[in-house]
């Protein structure tokens, strides 16, 4: 069944490329450069592979991966040894192709120029991001895998929050969590976990460091695991003992913006309008300048993918997108609060995948 899924995707991609008038499409996964796209189209999980898509399709890899590819890929697997560019060109010549499409977002200029030099009489044409565009719309099976990743991510969050004590460093907390996730079956963490105590929570992409958690401060967790290739991405904030009333006030505002963002998400709404729905509330409170990033992003084989929810986004939400809704307010030197949920875009609204409690600021470990 999975094999059929891959061949259907390749068939659809080939149809989508018809307007570009190319005789072949070349996907060059070099040092993992196209890893999510090659996985999406073939199931292959290694770091080196070439996919030639045309009336006839081929999969090329080197001896490190031949056996693995034969097990994962439902296409003829050809082995390349030594310099691979001439071998790819030879294969394209055998196919008699003249115009070859190449994705524009992940192929280096260096590689592009080398192909042009080697492929005399052929034309190499940048064709945008056709695979990324397809990946925006998730199948039921993909949504199911994201749901699994969300469930494990949240189970870990429960596990760590119930054990959270002052005097641990952010790094110790993050490592304990990573270890737990791997033990419970995650492929990996989808990104370096953010565990930010006190004033560090004001840096949206702070990573876990040597800061020792202290009573009375808040701790921001932004975490997600990868399972069966698919990512989760969730943010919650807890307080280590009684927090400052100001923290509670800001938490409520961010929660309201999070709810407004989720309510705005449905098929047909623009990424910009969804962002505005949440941003308006923070503006009304005079705090818009403290919300410096966009409302959200797509999640799938990558933790950051299309569509985008922001003031500069030109994306339109469609059924089957899976996106985050993550407003935040940041006060440098003091604290920051972000609440991030993962939702599926449906015709009538958003189906929320994440369910970790957020209605009240969770106070851990009793009094200050
Ligand atoms: Zn996140
Ligand atoms: Zn995110």
């Amino acid at each position: 069944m999975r094999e059929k899924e891959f061949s259907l995707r390749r068939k659809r991609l080939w149809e989508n490329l018809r307007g570009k008038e190319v005789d072949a499409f070349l996907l060059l996964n070099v040092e993992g450069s196209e890893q999510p796209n090659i996985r999406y189209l073939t199931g292959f999980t290694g770091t080196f592979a070439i996919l030639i898509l045309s009336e006839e399709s081929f999969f090329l890899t080197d001896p490190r991966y031949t056996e693995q590819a034969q097990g994962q890929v439902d296409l003829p697997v050809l082995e390349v040894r030594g310099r691979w560019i001439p071998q790819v060109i030879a294969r394209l010549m055998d196919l008699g192709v003249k115009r070859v499409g190449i994705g524009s977002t992940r192929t280096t200029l260096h590689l592009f120029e080398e192909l042009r030099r080697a492929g005399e009489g052929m034309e190499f044409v940048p064709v945008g991001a056709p695979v990324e565009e397809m990946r925006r719309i998730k199948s039921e099976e993909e949504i199911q895998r994201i749901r699994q990743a969300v469930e494990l991510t949240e189970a870990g969050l429960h596990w760590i929050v119930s054990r959270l004590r002052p005097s641990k460093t952010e790094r110790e907390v993050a490592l304990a969590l990573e270890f737990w996730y791997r033990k419970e079956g995650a492929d990996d963490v989808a990104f370096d976990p953010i565990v930010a105590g006190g004033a560090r929570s004001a840096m949206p992409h702070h990573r876990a460091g040597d800061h020792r958690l202290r009573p009375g401060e808040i701790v921001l967790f932004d975490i997600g695991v990868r399972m069966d290739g698919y990512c989760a991405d969730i943010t919650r904030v807890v307080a280590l003992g009684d927090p400052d009333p100001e923290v509670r006030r800001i938490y409520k505002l961010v929660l309201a913006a999070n709810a407004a963002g989720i309510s705005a998400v449905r098929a047909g709404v623009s990424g910009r309008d969804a962002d505005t729905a949440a941003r308006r509330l923070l503006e009304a409170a005079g705090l818009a300048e403290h919300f410096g990033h966009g409302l959200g992003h797509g999640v799938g084989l990558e933790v950051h993918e299309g569509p985008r929810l922001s003031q500069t986004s030109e994306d339109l939400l469609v059924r089957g997108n899976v996106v985050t809704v993550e407003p935040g307010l940041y006060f440098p030197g003091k604290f920051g609060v972000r609440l991030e949920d993962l939702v599926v875009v449906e015709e009538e609204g958003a189906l929320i995948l994440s369910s970790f409690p957020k209605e009240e600021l969770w106070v851990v470990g009793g009094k200050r």
Side-chain angles (χ1 to χ4, degrees):
M1 191 185 113
R2 293 281 290 281
E3 280 193 8
K4 191 149 174 252
E5 190 184 346
F6 297 125
S7 70
L8 282 174
R9 286 172 184 169
R10 292 195 300 270
K11 197 169 153 224
R12 241 184 322 130
L13 172 62
W14 189 234
E15 280 162 10
N16 295 348
L17 286 166
R18 197 158 283 161
K20 309 277 185 191
E21 294 179 345
V22 293
D23 324 307
F25 175 70
L26 196 55
L27 197 74
L28 307 163
N29 180 40
V30 182
E31 300 288 350
S33 59
E34 290 271 5
Q35 213 278 329
N37 288 339
I38 200 96
R39 182 168 187 160
Y40 185 76
L41 293 173
T42 69
F44 181 68
T45 55
T47 58
F48 178 79
I50 313 291
L51 174 67
I52 300 175
L53 202 66
S54 66
E55 291 306 329
E56 227 184 320
S57 295
F58 296 94
F59 185 95
L60 293 81
T61 190
D62 67 32
R64 292 175 299 166
Y65 288 120
T66 309
E67 190 183 344
Q68 178 182 332
Q70 282 163 345
Q72 288 181 324
V73 180
D74 61 337
L75 280 170
V77 174
L78 308 173
E79 190 176 276
V80 295
R81 285 172 186 256
R83 285 169 47 79
W84 56 268
I85 288 181
Q87 298 171 64
V88 170
I89 296 292
R91 181 59 56 174
L92 291 171
M93 291 210 171
D94 284 350
L95 288 167
V97 301
K98 289 272 176 286
R99 265 171 70 88
V100 183
I102 293 193
S104 319
T105 52
R106 297 165 194 260
T107 307
T108 61
L109 269 177
H110 174 77
L111 197 50
F112 188 66
E113 279 169 0
E114 274 199 75
L115 282 166
R116 273 163 75 169
R117 259 198 302 275
E120 241 179 286
M122 277 180 215
E123 195 185 348
F124 292 93
V125 193
V127 290
V131 190
E132 284 89 342
E133 273 166 36
M134 283 174 65
R135 282 174 38 209
R136 287 180 177 206
I137 300 174
K138 271 74 180 176
S139 66
E140 277 308 316
E141 204 189 352
E142 289 182 285
I143 291 169
Q144 193 47 39
R145 283 183 236 168
I146 295 171
R147 196 189 283 277
Q148 267 180 29
V150 168
E151 280 169 10
L152 186 61
T153 300
E154 294 194 328
L157 205 46
H158 277 285
W159 180 83
I160 199 75
V161 166
S162 64
R163 280 161 184 76
L164 203 62
R165 298 286 177 272
S167 91
K168 292 262 182 242
T169 67
E170 295 167 349
R171 199 191 302 272
E172 284 164 350
V173 172
L175 267 173
L177 197 48
E178 274 196 61
F179 188 81
W180 190 89
Y181 282 136
R182 294 294 287 260
K183 204 167 45 128
E184 297 296 319
D187 304 348
D188 199 353
V189 285
F191 52 94
D192 277 347
I194 297 174
V195 177
R200 286 147 199 84
S201 58
M203 291 180 270
H205 271 189
H206 171 72
R207 284 179 180 173
D210 294 324
H211 171 71
R212 237 169 245 293
L213 302 179
R214 284 193 296 252
E217 67 182 19
I218 62 167
V219 186
L220 182 148
F221 290 91
D222 186 347
I223 53 174
V225 300
R226 194 189 301 272
M227 274 188 93
D228 210 358
Y230 285 79
C231 303
D233 184 10
I234 290 158
T235 306
R236 288 293 188 265
V237 175
V238 301
L240 264 181
D242 245 357
D244 199 276
E246 179 65 359
V247 170
R248 287 190 185 275
R249 185 178 80 89
I250 294 301
Y251 186 93
K252 282 210 179 90
L253 263 170
V254 173
L255 181 64
N258 169 278
I262 292 173
S263 305
V265 168
R266 87 183 74 86
V269 168
S270 69
R272 184 179 173 155
D273 286 350
D275 180 282
T276 302
R279 197 168 297 273
R280 244 193 330 237
L281 259 91
L282 306 178
E283 258 162 21
L287 294 168
E289 86 225 53
H290 295 278
F291 176 28
H293 55 76
L295 182 67
H297 53 87
V299 172
L301 285 168
E302 287 177 287
V303 72
H304 290 127
E305 51 182 57
R308 305 278 164 176
L309 283 60
S310 77
Q311 287 302 298
T312 54
S313 172
E314 292 176 5
D315 297 333
L316 196 67
L317 299 180
V318 300
R319 188 167 168 266
N321 290 155
V322 173
V323 297
T324 67
V325 176
E326 50 177 310
L329 287 173
Y330 309 94
F331 304 90
K334 294 183 183 141
F335 70 94
V337 172
R338 175 168 67 257
L339 290 170
E340 176 175 30
D341 285 290
L342 205 50
V343 308
V344 184
V345 178
E346 299 195 323
E347 292 299 343
E348 304 297 329
L351 171 72
I352 308 172
L353 297 178
S354 41
S355 62
F356 195 89
K358 64 180 176 185
E359 296 311 318
E360 296 284 339
L361 174 59
W362 191 327
V363 180
V364 186
K367 298 271 176 287
R368 197 199 286 235

